[in-house]
Amino acid sequence: MVAANRAAAVDVLAWHLGAHPSARPFGGLSFMLGGSTNLEAVAPGVQQGDLSAIAAVEVPRLLNAWSWPPPRIALMPDWDAKLDALAEETPVAPVRALSGTPSWALVLLERLAERHGTPPFPNLELLVHGGVAYAPYRDRLRPYLPPGCATREVYAASEGFIAAADRSDGEGMRLIADGGVFAEFVPVEELDSLNPTRHWAATIETGVDYAVVVTSCAGLWSYVLGDVVRFVTRGPPRMLVTGRTSYFLSVFGEHLDGGEIEKALLAAVQDEGVGVAEYTVGAIFEGTRGRHRYLVEPTGTVAPDDTPRIARRLDDALLAANDDYAAHRLGAQLDPPEIVLLPPAPSPRGCAPRASRAASTRSPASSPTPPASSKPMRPCATWPPAPTPTRHRPEILAA
């Protein structure tokens, strides 16, 4: 699996060079931003740790001279201390490539900009991102990226390297068919079925929401990743990650997925000149009727009087995107959505990245989690035909 992940990383680099022949990624440092690279020995010859830790220690020795940060900083378990060290010691001019989740990258770039100005990496050519949806961070990251810096999305889960962008931002990620993972795709609505339809690369259709199921050379068999993808091309297969199998809002039968919610919300606030830092949404009940309540932390100032207008835009976008939502909204059950603005959160300093699955797989900036007064969301389904491994196990690396 380690060899397969290395090969996938080479694919990402090759696709970048194919699109940008004059790029010089080895003309400077490659910055891998992740959690602590400290691995724990759990048995003779067996170590475990965060995916970013495994990736960092598996960098070929030949490339160490082009890699940052050094082990002395990368091994720091305390995020605040690590961030201080990175801000103080990172040689910004030589950095040509940066990889990490958008949320972590934003915190780092903000700190570096305080010390070095904007953009903090003047020669940055490539930002490789994954782990969370990029859309909520795109506008917030843009001021910190130099002109011409390319962005390339990857779908690198703990269970395997699934896909990577081989074209422009937003055009989908190409399925990596030779990366040690056999991927199957199950229509989301069939995930709870005892005999669901199991598609593979040759039988998928565009425009359909699929749950991703993998069998890998590392021992997984018919394992539900929990991500929802939608293919935009078939030859070769290219996908967009639209949400998680657990991120569905369907208390009234409206069948909204996380991707539809996020896209509509971002479009609704865009006309106000702000973005969405974080959000959550759930259902509330008012007698025999109900509505969706959105708790939104904007990236800028929004007057409270503007929230009804934003809510109307949100409602219009969802009506146009989802027929089930429209049917229930125009019926006698679901009232227009409500938006509640939240004050800005404290500085991200002190909010350490967790060594968890969130660091290595895709999820929205904030999951549509219901308030305490609402019904629970549709739970993440298990995969009936297969004995599912425990979800909380750490990634295992055989030494």
Side-chain angles (χ1 to χ4, degrees):
M1 183 58 73
V2 170
N5 284 353
R6 283 180 177 171
V10 172
D11 286 342
V12 174
L13 181 61
W15 285 327
H16 172 64
L17 290 173
H20 304 274
S22 61
R24 298 179 63 243
F26 294 114
L29 296 176
S30 178
F31 192 137
M32 183 182 294
L33 179 62
S36 171
T37 58
N38 191 26
L39 295 176
E40 176 189 4
V42 294
V46 179
Q47 296 176 295
Q48 70 181 20
D50 182 44
L51 177 63
S52 58
I54 297 172
V57 300
E58 287 294 330
V59 171
R61 190 170 299 178
L62 177 66
L63 300 180
N64 282 344
W66 288 272
S67 300
W68 184 267
R72 174 178 55 83
I73 298 177
L75 286 169
M76 288 183 174
D78 183 86
W79 172 247
D80 283 341
K82 183 175 183 176
L83 192 60
D84 287 338
L86 289 173
E88 182 176 346
E89 299 186 36
T90 297
V92 294
V95 174
R96 296 298 182 99
L98 172 64
S99 62
T101 62
S103 52
W104 297 9
L106 180 61
V107 174
L108 173 71
L109 292 171
E110 286 176 342
R111 289 293 302 278
L112 289 172
E114 293 173 1
R115 180 178 291 265
H116 301 285
T118 303
F121 294 132
N123 297 309
L124 189 68
E125 295 183 354
L126 176 63
L127 171 64
V128 179
H129 62 85
V132 299
Y134 187 59
Y137 297 95
R138 182 181 287 107
D139 291 340
R140 300 164 69 189
L141 283 167
R142 186 175 292 120
Y144 299 107
L145 303 180
C149 179
T151 60
R152 199 158 291 275
E153 185 176 13
V154 297
Y155 181 4
S158 305
E159 296 81 2
F161 211 120
I162 309 299
D166 66 333
R167 300 198 299 191
S168 300
D169 184 28
E171 294 189 70
M173 293 177 286
R174 184 169 177 168
L175 179 67
I176 296 177
D178 58 349
V181 172
F182 177 69
E184 295 177 273
F185 305 95
V186 176
V188 169
E189 63 272 14
E190 297 185 35
L191 198 54
D192 292 324
S193 169
L194 292 177
N195 189 28
T197 306
R198 304 171 70 153
H199 296 274
W200 65 297
T203 63
I204 52 95
E205 298 292 338
T206 59
V208 177
D209 286 331
Y210 293 107
V212 183
V213 181
V214 299
T215 298
S216 79
C217 63
L220 292 179
W221 176 63
S222 297
Y223 182 57
V224 180
L225 289 187
D227 297 315
V228 177
V229 302
R230 183 179 302 154
F231 286 91
V232 294
T233 67
R234 295 187 61 199
R238 293 187 179 93
M239 68 182 73
L240 297 172
V241 179
T242 59
R244 298 277 292 170
T245 54
S246 56
Y247 294 166
F248 278 82
L249 185 55
S250 192
V251 177
F252 306 98
E254 61 273 40
H255 298 123
L256 290 173
D257 65 49
E260 290 172 329
I261 293 171
E262 186 168 288
K263 183 178 180 180
L265 181 60
L266 292 175
V269 302
Q270 190 172 30
D271 288 344
E272 303 298 326
V274 298
V276 175
E278 301 289 347
Y279 77 93
T280 188
V281 56
I284 61 173
F285 296 88
E286 300 162 336
T288 60
R289 301 177 64 86
R291 70 175 74 240
H292 298 156
R293 175 176 290 169
Y294 291 77
L295 307 182
V296 179
E297 179 195 339
T299 58
T301 302
V302 178
D305 292 343
D306 293 335
T307 54
R309 183 171 64 250
I310 298 174
R312 285 194 297 272
R313 292 198 199 104
L314 170 64
D315 191 32
D316 290 342
L318 292 174
L319 286 168
N322 188 298
D323 291 340
D324 289 330
Y325 177 83
H328 286 80
R329 268 286 293 112
L330 301 177
Q333 190 177 21
L334 183 59
D335 287 330
E338 174 190 4
I339 289 182
V340 178
L341 296 179
L342 303 178
S347 167
R349 180 180 174 80
C351 299
R354 293 177 296 171
S356 69
R357 180 176 169 80
S360 57
T361 60
R362 292 290 310 263
S363 65
S366 181
S367 64
T369 304
S373 61
S374 71
K375 290 184 178 179
M377 296 287 175
R378 175 182 183 273
C380 179
T382 56
W383 182 245
T388 306
T390 55
R391 292 293 292 172
H392 61 274
R393 92 283 181 269
E395 298 80 24
I396 302 297
L397 169 66

